[in-house]
Amino acid sequence: MRPVYAAAAVHVPAPPEQVFALITDWPRHEEWMFMTSACQVGPDAVEAYTGVWPLGFLDTMTITHWEPPALVRVTHTGRLVRGLGAIRVRPEHGGSRVIWAERLHLPFGPLGRALWPLVRPASMALVRHSLRKLAKLLPPR
């Protein structure tokens, strides 16, 4: 089945080096990513749990590209979340631009595809909310 694409961006009033360092400080994800805790479990492996136990899901990822302070790419390898993700940090006047993009294979086959138009707006609202929280964690330059 064809993957879906979702992306969001935010301005962060801090230099790319600081922004990238915060984004890739996996334990700090709980400070800004909606209901998510994360940890690095190997040199190129990250696990993130979204939800409140037992209602949630584990998102396992392999880091496939590491280019500080500009780009981290992952492959989602979990049972529920599968596909590609990237977070890019670009210099922008007065700080940085953070772009979060995902190309995901929806779970639940045709049912997941049918539900995506209903789930997508809420998912994207949560991503934008998380990115705004990220932006507030870093002091202006």
Side-chain angles (χ1 to χ4, degrees), residues 41-89:
V41 294
D44 296 323
V46 175
E47 291 184 352
Y49 186 83
T50 299
V52 178
W53 181 259
L55 302 174
F57 62 92
L58 182 65
D59 181 7
T60 57
M61 294 165 267
T62 300
I63 299 168
T64 58
H65 187 89
W66 183 263
E67 188 182 328
L71 178 64
V72 60
R73 287 188 186 132
V74 300
T75 298
H76 296 276
T77 59
R79 294 176 64 185
L80 190 64
V81 181
R82 300 189 69 76
L84 305 174
I87 300 179
R88 181 175 297 278
V89 182

